[in-house]
Amino acid sequence: MIVNSTPAGWQIIYQQAHALLAMQLAWYWPHTLAPDRWVGLLAAIAQHDDEQAAWHGRGGHYGLTPAGAPANFTQKEFSLEQATGVLAAARFQGRWRSLLTSLHLSLLYEGLRGQNKKTDAFLDDLRTGQDQWRRALHLTKKEAQQAYDLLHWCDRLSLILCRQEIPEMGRAVEIYPGPDGTMYTLAQPEAGGPVVINPWPFRETEVAVSVEASILTQLQFRDDAELSAALKEAPIETLRWEIRPSGSKK
């Protein structure tokens, strides 16, 4: 979960919802790939945070901090089970989706190498699979990396929006280099107003995206079951952003 504090409690955005926002952003990008590969890229973006195994049929597992507050995803330990599940699910959708998902997992978790033999074996398997899938799909490392860079770019922008990381006073923040290596920046010249991206990456002259958030007014929870019950009953708020190019007068 993405957990933001509010004056009255907590704003909760599920990671799967953040991933769906990332796919919305990718949909607006110029379609530079063949349709089958473009759809596979969208699927990889939309499902890169799936397979939260402990949620499946067991009432949910969200996680609490030692103080009993909802735990942000950055406060939770790496789950080999979840990472393995994401890749296993991708394989049912083909080698292209598997390659993109594997590249994402490598980026996220390569820094854990050397801490655990099982994790190291998983990371080695990722590298082996990437080589095999690239050869089978007749892709160069550069071509695969460019497609993955778009996934990462959309993931990063979605997190900036969901985690309320837009700087104040119109200051700009770097998003991530795009597939062509260009570094994009984001700013919000007026509080609550449109978000500006420079240079402009999208097909449309103006973009609108949204994500749903659950609103909690209870600050602390006895256990995971109480948090789960509260989330099921929580009111839902739709967060929306208008995104425009720099210099737009609309």
Side-chain angles (χ1 to χ4, degrees), residues 64-76:
L64 298 173
T65 68
N72 191 59
F73 75 97
T74 57
Q75 298 170 299
K76 302 184 74 173

Side-chain angles (χ1 to χ4, degrees), residues 163-179:
R163 299 182 69 185
Q164 303 177 358
E165 293 177 341
I166 301 175
E168 297 178 347
M169 302 176 63
R171 294 190 299 267
V173 62
E174 291 183 342
I175 301 171
Y176 189 74

Side-chain angles (χ1 to χ4, degrees), residues 28-87:
Y28 283 109
W29 197 278
H31 296 185
T32 56
L33 300 172
D36 58 342
R37 296 226 169 141
W38 184 253
V39 171
L41 174 57
L42 293 179
I45 296 171
Q47 297 170 317
H48 76 269
D49 273 334
D50 285 2
E51 301 304 314
Q52 303 290 337
W55 293 17
H56 296 171
R58 293 193 284 276
H61 177 69
Y62 304 91
L64 298 173
T65 68
N72 191 59
F73 75 97
T74 57
Q75 298 170 299
K76 302 184 74 173
E77 296 181 355
F78 164 67
S79 169
L80 181 59
E81 180 183 10
Q82 187 265 342
T84 303
V86 170
L87 185 58

Side-chain angles (χ1 to χ4, degrees), residues 28-30 153 184 197-203:
Y28 283 109
W29 197 278
W153 189 91
Y184 294 84
I197 292 181
N198 187 44
W200 186 245
F202 299 119
R203 293 178 290 119

Side-chain angles (χ1 to χ4, degrees), residues 7 24 43 49-50 107 111-112 118 137 163 169 223 241-242 245:
Q24 293 176 47
D49 273 334
D50 285 2
L107 180 77
L112 300 177
K118 289 185 178 180
L137 295 168
R163 299 182 69 185
M169 302 176 63
D223 51 32
W241 295 271
E242 292 183 17

Side-chain angles (χ1 to χ4, degrees), residues 1-5 11-22 24-25 72-73 154-166 186 209-213 239 241:
M1 303 183 301
I2 295 170
V3 181
N4 298 314
S5 63
Q11 179 193 79
I12 307 292
I13 300 173
Y14 294 117
Q15 284 174 272
Q16 293 93 331
H18 133 69
L20 191 61
L21 171 58
Q24 293 176 47
L25 294 163
N72 191 59
F73 75 97
C154 295
D155 182 40
R156 176 62 187 140
L157 177 52
S158 176
L159 285 173
I160 290 173
L161 297 175
C162 289
R163 299 182 69 185
Q164 303 177 358
E165 293 177 341
I166 301 175
L186 174 149
V209 295
S210 65
V211 71
E212 290 189 351
L239 309 178
W241 295 271

